[in-house]
Amino acid sequence: MSRKIRMGMVGGGQGSAIGKVHRMAAALDGQIELVCGAFSSDPRRSKASGAELYLPADRVYDSYAEMLERERRRPEGDRMDFVVIVTPNHLHYAPAAAALKAGFHVMCDKPMTFSLAEARKLKTLVDRTGLLFGLTHNYTGYPMVKEARELARGGKLGAIRKIVVEYPQGWLHELIEATGQKQAAWRTDPARSGAAGCMGDIGTHAESLAEYITGLRIDSLCAELTTFVKGRKLDDDGNVLIRYQGGARGILHASQIAIDEENGLNIRIWGEKGGLQWRQEEPNTLILKRPDGPRQLIRSGQGYLSRRARRACRLPAGHPEGFIEAFANLYCNYAEALGARLAGRKPDPLALDFPTVDDGVRGMAFIEAVVKSARAGAKWVKMAE
Ligand code: NAD
């Protein structure tokens, strides 16, 4: 490639939570430039957001439909290459499907869609168009998560027996949606969030992290969802027992009423020969547990790491790398995969290491199975393939 990859953004305007993180992550390695956007459902806000980012006024659009149409008509050497979607969950499918139909590659935030049915339709469209689809389950971007994957999938732990993964947060312990808090308002609204609240918002991160590291797929699960805060319409807490294919067992809990918890994503895995632990709030350390000696601390930036993990480090050991860098690792791989396609060459196989539409379908199947089980009084249900 003799140029940067061009990104258009849907959502992520002024006052949004994750739009800015996407822009920082996409820009970090100098491979991607933001060229246009439809940043809000309100055209005035979209314009103001684009102006703040110094985008030319004629590339800040009133709607994603206008953006797709006008970008499609620009010369090939000038139009955007891919669209990133950072709107609330109920507004993922329509822009993603429209972008694919218009011939644009897509990056989308999680959960991938509003429902499993939409997720399956999107997968059909991705398969049919052959376009590149990435999903920002960003916790899979941390170097120590990649090292955990190499160790777990490489047999270091032996056959995996048990996975305990939790994602506690405390920010929804009161009815803050009633105060107009924007991020809380749509996340707790079944018409905009989907069938689950907390379990869809952060439970899916825990589900995807466990699968990314171990490669194990959920066979069936038994779930309880609770709404603790009076007046709230969706779950703000959930506990799930999991049976993985192959026999491993799991416990997954997610909560948004766990006072004082920030982003306490924490995973512990035990196999026949050892165990692993990784905590998002201490992301540069991975703990390896052995039956015959003291635990070992594996650290980001070190030369002894696997190629997959080293490739995801940018700084020498001891200089903290964090959330933005891990997020950027998804964009970095996506850019390498897309750049290779556009240049007609084969990508580095490790660049294909980012979540895809298949992960998105499983995330939605997880949400649907959890809700079905909880509604049936915590019955065991099979997770759809
Ligand atoms: P938010 O409410 O803060 O921002 C949503 C943005 O979308 C706003 O700028 C809004 O104006 C815009 N928008 C709404 N309708 C639109 C439309 N029709 N066209 C264009 N723009 C429109 O939401 P958020 O908290 O940033 O979440 C956005 C998405 O990102 C959600 O799917 C959420 O689950 C996901 N998210 C992911 C992570 C992560 O760690 N990967 C973190 C936070 C949020």
Side-chain angles (χ1 to χ4, degrees):
M1 285 286 280
S2 56
R3 62 165 177 85
K4 290 191 183 200
I5 291 178
R6 304 187 193 99
M7 175 171 95
M9 182 169 260
V10 178
Q14 286 176 333
S16 78
I18 204 71
K20 192 174 184 178
V21 170
H22 277 265
R23 287 190 291 273
M24 288 191 280
L28 193 68
D29 294 293
Q31 303 300 303
I32 298 174
E33 62 180 326
L34 177 72
V35 294
C36 63
F39 297 101
S40 169
S41 53
D42 171 356
R44 274 173 315 159
R45 250 193 131 114
S46 181
K47 290 264 178 291
S49 303
E52 254 180 31
L53 297 166
Y54 302 104
L55 286 175
D58 68 340
R59 291 189 90 175
V60 182
Y61 300 106
D62 288 357
S63 69
Y64 70 80
E66 186 198 12
M67 176 168 108
L68 295 174
E69 182 49 33
R70 298 247 310 262
E71 286 292 317
R72 208 168 54 82
R73 283 201 254 123
R74 295 183 83 91
E76 201 180 317
D78 174 58
R79 70 171 83 113
M80 69 175 171
D81 297 302
F82 79 100
V83 179
V84 57
I85 296 164
V86 278
T87 46
N89 306 346
H90 70 304
L91 287 167
H92 289 184
Y93 175 77
L100 291 166
K101 285 178 188 162
F104 295 108
H105 305 275
V106 173
M107 186 74 134
C108 183
D109 216 319
K110 47 50 62 181
M112 186 169 79
T113 49
F114 183 75
S115 67
L116 178 57
E118 277 187 358
R120 290 203 169 118
K121 279 200 286 180
L122 202 55
K123 155 114 180 106
T124 305
L125 210 49
V126 171
D127 290 348
R128 202 178 76 211
T129 57
L131 294 163
L132 196 64
F133 189 97
L135 183 73
T136 47
H137 269 306
N138 46 299
Y139 300 110
T140 64
Y142 281 101
M144 291 300 92
V145 168
K146 295 187 184 296
E147 188 67 6
R149 174 188 166 114
E150 289 294 305
L151 295 172
R153 294 191 185 206
K156 186 81 179 169
L157 311 181
I160 290 167
R161 291 171 164 167
K162 179 149 180 161
I163 302 169
V164 179
V165 59
E166 60 177 335
Y167 199 153
Q169 294 180 334
W171 70 292
L172 291 178
H173 71 275
E174 287 180 323
L175 197 71
I176 60 169
E177 56 269 40
T179 68
Q181 210 275 11
K182 194 176 150 191
Q183 284 75 27
W186 71 255
R187 279 177 172 79
T188 57
D189 174 3
R192 290 182 282 172
S193 190
C198 168
M199 208 38 90
D201 195 33
I202 54 173
T204 47
H205 272 311
E207 170 267 328
S208 94
L209 182 67
E211 180 177 324
Y212 179 79
I213 293 176
T214 64
L216 296 178
R217 288 176 175 230
I218 297 175
D219 173 76
S220 46
L221 56 78
C222 164
E224 181 177 62
L225 295 177
T226 307
T227 306
F228 279 107
V229 175
K230 275 208 174 59
R232 181 163 289 156
K233 296 192 196 111
L234 285 172
D235 53 286
D236 47 31
D237 185 87
N239 303 311
V240 189
L241 293 179
I242 296 173
R243 293 177 185 146
Y244 286 95
Q245 292 174 5
R249 295 292 188 260
I251 301 175
L252 182 155
H253 93 79
S255 184
Q256 290 177 320
I257 51 85
I259 289 175
D260 188 49
E261 293 288 346
E262 294 167 340
N263 280 287
L265 178 61
N266 180 29
I267 184 162
R268 286 175 291 164
I269 302 167
W270 294 274
E272 290 167 340
K273 298 196 288 191
L276 280 178
Q277 177 167 11
W278 179 80
R279 277 182 57 228
Q280 199 269 154
E281 292 180 357
E282 176 71 57
N284 298 310
T285 301
L286 173 67
I287 302 173
L288 177 64
K289 301 169 181 179
R290 306 170 333 184
D292 54 354
R295 55 180 54 179
Q296 207 177 332
L297 298 187
I298 300 171
R299 297 273 300 155
S300 164
Q302 292 286 0
Y304 54 66
L305 297 174
S306 62
R307 199 162 92 77
R308 184 186 298 273
R310 274 205 320 274
R311 201 173 166 278
C313 299
R314 291 180 182 75
L315 300 173
H319 292 314
E321 295 197 54
F323 190 77
I324 305 292
E325 289 87 345
F327 222 114
N329 283 332
L330 270 59
Y331 273 101
C332 182
N333 283 344
Y334 185 85
E336 158 63 14
L338 186 49
R341 230 179 231 233
L342 297 174
R345 63 172 171 83
K346 276 202 170 352
D348 176 341
L350 282 180
L352 301 176
D353 179 11
F354 57 85
T356 67
V357 74
D358 293 313
D359 301 287
V361 171
R362 275 201 298 289
M364 296 313 299
F366 170 76
I367 294 174
E368 196 169 282
V370 163
V371 170
K372 187 173 170 191
S373 167
R375 284 191 185 146
K379 261 204 174 141
W380 281 94
V381 302
K382 270 257 193 238
M383 189 168 118
E385 275 291 307

